[in-house]
């Protein structure tokens, strides 16, 4: 069994969760006399599909499980119920404004608990704490002071920098501006992810704040590589309706997901044709108003960019708008490929089995728990800070459904490792959840992961995606 490494940079709830899962692994090894590095137990290893390849664990009980139950021995004895309850209470306290342990998120890079020791007492007491109180009066959720922090950051750096480039352009400033935007784009996009799913990130009571919440994306989206509203239309009105199924334009199921050639085709289609594909999708679904809106959004965005080049502002436009747009379109597809590259060959329409969970620093500390993609698909409107507690509370379901959890790797690296066929490395990153995964050796896990990248032919798609799209809609809350 590979060692589970817990980075000190992980957010507090990630640390609690990962320690909990690591403790399950250790307990299971001790109770089943699993030698370190083996991962196999006396129950006989990973489940096999008909072609002999290790597959994602089935929710149906195996003969071994039935034998264990018949002998009166619980298959989850390695799990400490008291420890789980204690850990879940600690995690929920961190998110509960009524708890003395509650901590709002103020900055993505550092936790509030660490700031008191790092800052001068006068700054902490008379600057930071009043700022937090003020920002909590503006943020939609009291935990989301960080959203206000980032809006201030973008409007005091990105916006004035972009305006100055159009006033007096230099290549040095232009390249530095583009680099700054590249650094901002990941966190900004996942902040907007909260915005489009939650109907905003600021409070609705004050008219001025409500207006700011509605309008700021029209200023900041183009600076961060997004065309107006396309992220909302594509992600909420399309991707979460289709759920990586046959009609999802960003679906991975028709691709061999460890093939560089298939990955290039996948990226190219979105990169060059989303402006047409998405409106046509909405027309096929009978949603003509959405088709018109997204088409106009794309055309107006591209026309504005073309006009800047046509009328002599090409150099600042290239640094301010074009470079972020080109990188963002690539980043969105690399990320989505990683999120949906490992799809169960037997139940690809299951949210547990068509998406994954990553417990890592880039996804969860800097990108608002983007690593918890399974939890997000199960309940798209779940607040981002609730994802770790959800996984712990539903740990048995994750194990029974064969959900895949990895640690110490983000979506970009996961995509690269798949394309390089680094399955042994990826197998070592798996955090086994549930008895069947715990029974797998590293070699069996590698085989399992490899099987989960196989493309589906049209016959399989017709057989395995029988549920209507509405059952996988963005509003589905199947885990609640």
């Amino acid at each position: 069994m590979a060692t589970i490494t817990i980075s000190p940079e992980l957010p507090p709830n990630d640390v609690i969760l990962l320690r909990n899962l690591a403790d399950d692994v250790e307990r299971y090894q001790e109770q089943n006399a699993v030698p370190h590095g083996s991962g196999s137990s006396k129950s006989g290893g990973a489940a096999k599909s008909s072609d002999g390849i290790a597959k994602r664990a089935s929710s149906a009980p195996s003969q071994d499980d039935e034998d264990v139950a018949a002998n009166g021995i619980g298959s989850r004895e390695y799990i400490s119920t008291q420890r789980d309850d204690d850990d879940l209470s600690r995690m929920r306290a961190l998110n509960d404004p009524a708890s003395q342990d509650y901590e709002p998120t103020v900055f993505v890079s550092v936790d509030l608990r660490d700031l008191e020791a790092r800052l001068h007492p006068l700054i902490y007491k008379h600057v930071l704490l009043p700022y937090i109180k003020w920002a909590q009066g503006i943020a939609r959720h009291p935990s989301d002071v960080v959203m206000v922090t980032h809006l201030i950051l973008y409007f005091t750096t990105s916006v004035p920098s972009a305006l100055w480039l159009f006033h007096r352009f230099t290549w040095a400033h232009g390249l530095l501006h583009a680099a700054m935007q590249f650094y901002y784009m990941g966190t900004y996009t996942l902040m907007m992810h909260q915005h489009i799913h939650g109907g905003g990130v600021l409070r609705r009571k004050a008219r001025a704040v409500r207006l700011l919440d509605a309008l700021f994306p029209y200023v900041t989206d183009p600076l961060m590589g997004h065309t107006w509203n396309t992220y909302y239309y594509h992600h909420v009105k399309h991707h979460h309706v289709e759920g990586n199924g046959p009609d999802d334009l960003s679906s991975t199921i028709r691709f061999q997901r460890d093939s560089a050639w298939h990955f290039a085709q996948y990226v190219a289609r979105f990169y060059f044709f989303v402006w047409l594909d998405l409106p046509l999708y909405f027309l096929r679904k009978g949603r003509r108003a959405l088709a018109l809106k997204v088409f106009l959004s794309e055309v107006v965005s591209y026309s504005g960019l073309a006009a800047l080049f046509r009328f002599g502002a090409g150099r600042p436009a290239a640094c301010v708008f074009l470079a972020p747009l080109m990188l963002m379109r690539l980043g969105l597809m690399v990320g989505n490929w990683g999120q949906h590259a490992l799809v169960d060959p037997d139940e690809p329409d299951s949210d547990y089995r068509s998406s994954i969970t990553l417990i890592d620093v880039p996804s969860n500390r800097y990108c608002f728990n983007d690593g918890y993609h399974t939890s997000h698909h199960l309940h798209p409107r779940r607040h981002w800070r609730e994802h770790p507690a959800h996984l712990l509370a539903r740990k048995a379901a994750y194990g029974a459904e064969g959900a895949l959890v990895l640690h110490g790797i983000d979506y970009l690296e996961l995509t690269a490792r798949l394309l390089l066929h680094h399955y042994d490395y990826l197998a070592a990153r798996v955090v086994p959840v549930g008895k069947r995964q715990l029974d797998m050796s590293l070699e069996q896990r590698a085989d399992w992961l490899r099987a989960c990248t196989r493309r589906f032919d049209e016959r399989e798609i017709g057989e395995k995606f029988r549920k209507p799209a509405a059952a996988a809609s963005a509003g589905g809350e199947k885990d609640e």
Side-chain angles (χ1 to χ4, degrees):
M1 185 78 68
T3 302
I4 295 177
T5 303
I6 302 176
S7 169
E9 295 183 41
L10 284 169
N13 275 348
D14 277 28
V15 172
I16 296 172
L17 175 62
L18 200 50
R19 283 177 176 163
N20 181 286
L21 297 176
D23 186 54
D24 285 348
V25 174
E26 184 177 353
R27 286 170 177 264
Y28 189 82
Q29 290 175 338
E30 291 174 352
Q31 292 183 15
N32 292 272
V34 180
H36 184 76
S38 167
S40 298
S41 80
K42 56 190 178 185
S43 63
K48 298 283 185 178
S49 63
S50 58
D51 58 4
I53 300 299
K55 66 178 183 179
R56 220 151 174 168
S58 170
S59 58
S62 69
Q63 185 62 48
D64 286 345
D65 287 338
E66 291 171 357
D67 290 343
V68 167
N71 291 326
I73 304 172
S75 61
R76 298 178 68 237
E77 283 186 343
Y78 61 91
I79 294 177
S80 169
T81 303
Q82 184 60 53
R83 182 212 58 206
D84 284 3
D85 291 343
D86 291 344
D87 286 347
L88 193 56
S89 296
R90 291 168 60 203
M91 295 168 81
R92 287 172 172 165
L94 288 171
N95 294 336
D96 181 5
S99 170
Q100 62 179 6
D101 296 323
Y102 169 70
E103 286 187 29
T105 303
V106 183
F107 306 103
V108 293
S109 57
V110 61
D111 299 311
L112 181 59
R113 65 180 65 182
D114 298 321
L115 286 173
E116 187 172 8
R118 297 187 184 187
L119 296 176
H120 190 281
L122 291 177
I123 294 177
Y124 181 82
K125 182 178 181 180
H126 297 291
V127 177
L128 182 64
L129 293 184
Y131 166 71
I132 292 172
K133 183 177 180 180
W134 170 79
Q136 285 180 318
I138 296 175
R140 177 73 60 89
H141 193 284
S143 298
D144 290 348
V145 173
V146 66
M147 306 292 184
V148 179
T149 302
H150 276 262
L151 285 176
I152 293 172
L153 175 67
Y154 303 140
F155 275 93
T156 56
T157 56
S158 298
V159 173
S161 175
L163 291 173
W164 187 257
L165 279 170
F166 281 98
H167 173 67
R168 183 172 298 174
F169 179 83
T170 66
W171 277 112
H173 180 189
L175 294 175
L176 286 172
H177 176 88
M180 176 178 69
Q181 296 308 101
F182 292 170
Y183 178 74
Y184 286 166
M185 280 162 50
T187 302
Y188 175 81
T189 297
L190 272 301
M191 183 183 80
M192 286 306 301
H193 186 249
Q194 307 306 311
H195 190 283
I196 61 179
H197 276 292
V201 295
L202 303 179
R203 288 188 181 272
R204 296 175 179 173
K205 291 183 178 180
R207 183 180 178 184
V209 175
R210 186 170 67 250
L211 190 64
L212 173 63
D213 198 29
L215 295 181
F216 82 78
Y218 291 94
V219 176
T220 51
D221 272 8
L223 300 178
M224 302 290 180
H226 294 278
T227 50
W228 283 329
N229 293 323
T230 300
Y231 186 33
Y232 168 74
Y233 294 133
H234 188 280
H235 185 74
V236 174
K237 295 298 185 180
H238 158 256
H239 174 64
H240 273 282
V241 172
E242 301 297 344
N244 201 51
D247 292 340
D248 190 341
L249 298 176
S250 55
S251 174
T252 59
I253 59 175
R254 291 184 172 92
F255 297 91
Q256 179 62 36
R257 295 176 295 280
D258 60 0
S259 164
W261 171 236
H262 280 231
F263 174 69
Q265 296 176 60
Y266 177 81
V267 172
R269 178 178 178 179
F270 179 83
Y271 209 93
F272 296 110
F273 297 110
V274 67
W275 66 273
L276 180 62
D277 272 348
L278 193 55
L280 290 178
Y281 162 83
F282 286 126
L283 286 177
R284 289 194 298 271
K285 298 296 182 179
R287 309 191 72 177
R288 288 177 291 181
L290 279 179
L292 180 61
K293 286 178 182 179
V294 71
F295 181 74
L296 289 177
S297 173
E298 290 288 288
V299 169
V300 169
S301 297
Y302 293 142
S303 298
L305 187 57
L308 289 172
F309 277 88
R310 174 65 178 83
F311 295 106
R315 293 184 301 172
C319 297
V320 172
F321 298 121
L322 183 59
L325 175 64
M326 294 175 66
L327 183 62
M328 178 57 69
R329 292 275 157 115
L330 175 63
L332 288 172
M333 287 299 97
V334 174
N336 197 75
W337 184 274
Q339 289 167 343
H340 295 285
L342 296 164
V343 180
D344 183 76
D346 297 315
E347 291 190 40
D349 61 344
S350 165
D351 285 328
Y352 285 103
R353 302 184 183 204
S354 65
S355 57
I356 62 174
T357 299
L358 303 183
I359 305 176
D360 72 291
V361 173
S363 302
N364 297 343
R365 175 166 287 286
Y366 294 98
C367 292
F368 304 108
N369 282 337
D370 187 42
Y372 292 90
H373 205 62
T374 300
S375 173
H376 175 58
H377 267 271
L378 288 168
H379 184 352
R381 291 176 64 86
R382 194 192 316 277
H383 188 264
W384 64 276
R385 287 196 18 160
E386 298 295 333
H387 289 308
H390 156 78
L391 196 160
L392 181 55
R394 301 281 294 177
K395 183 170 62 175
Y398 272 66
E401 293 290 342
L404 179 57
V405 179
L406 299 97
H407 78 290
I409 187 170
D410 61 32
Y411 293 116
L412 304 186
E413 184 184 357
L414 175 64
T415 295
R417 295 284 184 180
L418 286 172
L419 298 180
L420 293 170
H421 296 184
H422 289 176
Y423 286 105
D424 290 341
Y425 178 89
L426 293 172
R429 303 271 71 79
V430 171
V431 181
V433 181
K435 184 177 182 295
R436 286 185 179 82
Q437 292 184 25
L438 285 161
D439 281 342
M440 292 182 183
S441 67
L442 288 177
E443 293 78 11
Q444 289 169 326
R445 286 186 201 159
D447 287 342
W448 167 41
L449 296 175
R450 188 177 291 107
C452 288
T453 64
R454 181 180 61 80
R455 69 185 299 188
F456 294 83
D457 60 34
E458 294 304 317
R459 178 189 61 80
E460 289 180 294
I461 290 172
E463 292 175 351
K464 296 177 179 180
F465 287 88
R466 293 178 178 174
K467 68 182 181 183
S473 69
E477 299 183 6
K478 297 174 281 298
D479 63 322
E480 295 303 296

